Amino acid sequence: MLKICFKKARRCIVLVIWTLVIITIATTLFLNEHLSRRKSLVERDAPFDLEITSQESKTSGGGGDIREEDLWFSKEKVENALPDLFLEPVTKQVERVTARLMIRRKDVDMNEGEEDIVFTKSSGNIGMAVNTHRVRTYEKKSSDEILTEYIGNSEKICEVELSNLLGNVSVDSTRKIFLEEAVLETGKNLINGCFVPKCRAYQKIAIVIPYKNRYEHLLMLTRHLHPILQRQNVMYCIFVAEQFDNGSFNKAQIMNAAFHEITTNHQIYGHPSEPEGERRQFECFVFHDVDMLLENDKNLYLCENNPKHMSPAIDKFNYTTNYGTIYGGVTAMTAETYKLVNGHSNRFWGWGGEDNDMEKRIELAGKKIVQVDEKVGRYKMIVHEHPWWFSPDTGAGSWKQKLKRKKSTIKKNADNDEPSTKDYQDKTGLSDMKYRLVYSSQHLLWTKLMIDIRLHIFEQSLTHFTNYKTTDVSVKTPQELDTSPPTVEQDDEATPVETSDSCVPSYHRFEHMTVNRTRPDADERYKAVYKSLEGAQEVCTSMRMACQSIVEEKAEFTIRSTAFVHENKLRYKLGIIEQVHISEDHNTTATYVKICPHNINYVQFTLDPIIIPTGVKRDSSRRVSSPRFYTNFTIRSLQPSSSSFVYRTRIMTSHRAAMEAKVSSKVIPGIWWDSLGKLQFSRFNLLNFSNQERLKNHRIGKDYRKKVLSGQLYELQSPATSIEPYPGCYVIKHSVINEENDEPVYEWITWLQLRAETRELEDDLLAEQLQKAIRMGEEFRKIQDKNQALAKKWMHERKAIRSAQIGVFVEGGGEAGLNIHIQHKRPPPSLMREYKPHSDEEHNAQAASVS
């Protein structure tokens, strides 16, 4: 019996071995067949080669057609073949190879040799390589040949051939466009982003795209727009006007600078088919948002006598013509009119506002805005979301936050509260615009103007605690951006923002501490679970500023968009009147925060806790024991100005900072008062550049970086700021504000923790903090009850007076009730939100969202 069992077992083992051998051989043959194909389409920086010639081409010796299975193989089968190497960068590379395959199947109109550049160039800037190839073709011609050809083409006046126009065109605002597709499908006569028809154009048009960090959208727009403009038979150049620094975006000022640069140096920019020294001035300017895709090619990109609104109907607003402005999105204006209205206002930072301001300028200049027919002026807006660090709700580009603070430059009419054109006071624009052209570069699809509009650079800040020994926190502005134009060898997607984030992070471990989730559930990046710390760190590092920390729980790791670290266990009261007791119990093993020293884009950590000494409970020692810090600033003035700056700090618990991040991400509707959410504010006048006497006191005599950066250097110190000595984790949000426009020009965040010298002292201080919060709630409830009673009495007296006026006798009626004054004393608004009665169910929902 045993022998029979052994024989059967041996047969099973042999069968399994042969099965594995056959599977291995088949897999090897399969991979050899598909991974040994033509290597001319190697993707840049790929860790492996993909050859895409079809099997038929091997047998016939010809080029062959690309099969569907080849396209399918390029991603899925490589994933299976190389599971350990297939990371996100490789995914992107395979997608681009797939895109090249799909393009190769189409008929493309290219000049000799250009198709090989696109399909064989394994790295570098394909757009610049093709553009350089075409420019060199013109350089081989003599100036007489170019002039003769130009004169011959100018004999005929350009006309729009309606038969060449399609009317409604298909637009997919979600499909990703790769550079290869954009290069191959925008015509063979395009150079420097410019096109010259073989006739005398009615106008020479400059299409200006104000731009910042939207490369994918830029490819989608230029790929879509170039063929349409060429069908319209217009003479045009596309200029990408990019803001050089990483501060808040000033779209209007960038457009002003681009207009000035293009009109002043029009002989430099254009198509080489125009003879040198004979290039026409740009008569028409079209200002074009990067996320707007035209849906009807009969919407001609030409200027009229009056400013023209070309995008009255946008899909985002259901193609209704009234979406907040009658002059925004895509607009056209002659150069003469743009000078007449003094360009755009320079005061609008962040996103939005400049379009409505331009409406007033046009009206003041005696011009009238004409609108394209809404059936023709239809556009699709590319769906996009601002990065969390540059959201309209928060961050340096927060136009929503600044809108609450900004003083309007337009006075209101007393009667209807509408802006009065005659009282318009904003005189900024082309007349006082200051900028520096960092460089210009020529790409096949566009000419890029890299524009620096900064007047001052806050180069460095150093925060120092005066009465406790702890590490100083130093932050530097990432203004050391590459000022050289891109080359053919460089990646086309590299931008100043990307190159400025040069952090190679380390990770610091905080035991038994956590970071709350602050992103919506729909954001899949923060829901992924990683089985190893190394894998989570690799993903977090690749996400750059979008990932700031990693949380470990039960040997699993998840990433977070913030680094507001706090304790695993929190106890506090929620609701200033209700005082509902909330307990947060997190099972976090540890939190790993991303450490990028001196980098303004990341939270700066004071890793060693500040220890509060014994005896701090006595009132006499409370002020002495409060941690105090000041900040030293190094400021470089690039251009003369009269700007004045203030330094603001907001000190809050990490718990409160996480709640604010949730509100910004629309995870919760608003922040309810809680006993841990105490805020402290400070505000100091920093420096007024119009005060020359004071400037002399802060000027640095020797500037060791003078050869690198121009301008005068200044150094100054802020007054000291104190933190109430209660244990916990704290976040300090620092801001330097330009008083002229209430615009933050320099912002960073520091994190620290306060701990008591003994556990007993820490418990006593936390209990004291909680009791203060409870007393404040009780006082506020008494005031509310008194106000409600007074309000009822006041309403009763008012009713009695009205009854008496219509002849009804009411005993006790009179005017006495009108003298009642309701007490409005309440805690500081920073410690509470507006009281709103709510049910127990709302309490439970709020507590759940907090934890």
Side-chain angles (χ1 to χ4, degrees), residues 288-396:
H288 205 300
D289 285 356
V290 73
D291 55 1
M292 302 284 283
L293 301 179
L294 179 66
E295 293 188 57
N296 192 311
D297 62 2
K298 294 183 179 180
N299 189 357
L300 300 181
Y301 277 57
L302 292 171
C303 288
E304 301 182 12
N305 291 332
N306 283 307
K308 182 168 65 171
H309 188 209
M310 300 180 64
S311 58
I314 303 175
D315 68 329
K316 180 180 178 180
F317 307 107
N318 297 319
Y319 298 105
T320 57
T321 57
N322 184 12
Y323 54 84
T325 180
I326 59 171
Y327 197 75
V330 183
T331 60
M333 186 184 296
T334 64
E336 181 182 357
T337 303
Y338 197 76
K339 292 177 182 177
L340 180 65
V341 301
N342 196 25
H344 286 83
S345 168
N346 294 325
R347 295 179 181 271
F348 289 90
W349 296 85
W351 299 93
E354 67 283 338
D355 299 327
N356 301 92
D357 183 85
M358 177 55 83
E359 296 172 18
K360 290 297 175 186
R361 291 177 174 241
I362 293 171
E363 185 179 348
L364 283 170
K367 294 287 186 176
K368 182 180 179 181
I369 298 173
V370 296
Q371 178 178 292
V372 175
D373 185 272
E374 59 188 79
K375 294 180 181 179
V376 176
R378 293 167 64 93
Y379 284 78
K380 279 192 177 179
M381 183 177 287
I382 302 173
V383 178
H384 65 280
E385 185 174 329
H386 293 286
W388 70 268
W389 64 88
F390 198 76
S391 165
D393 299 295
T394 187

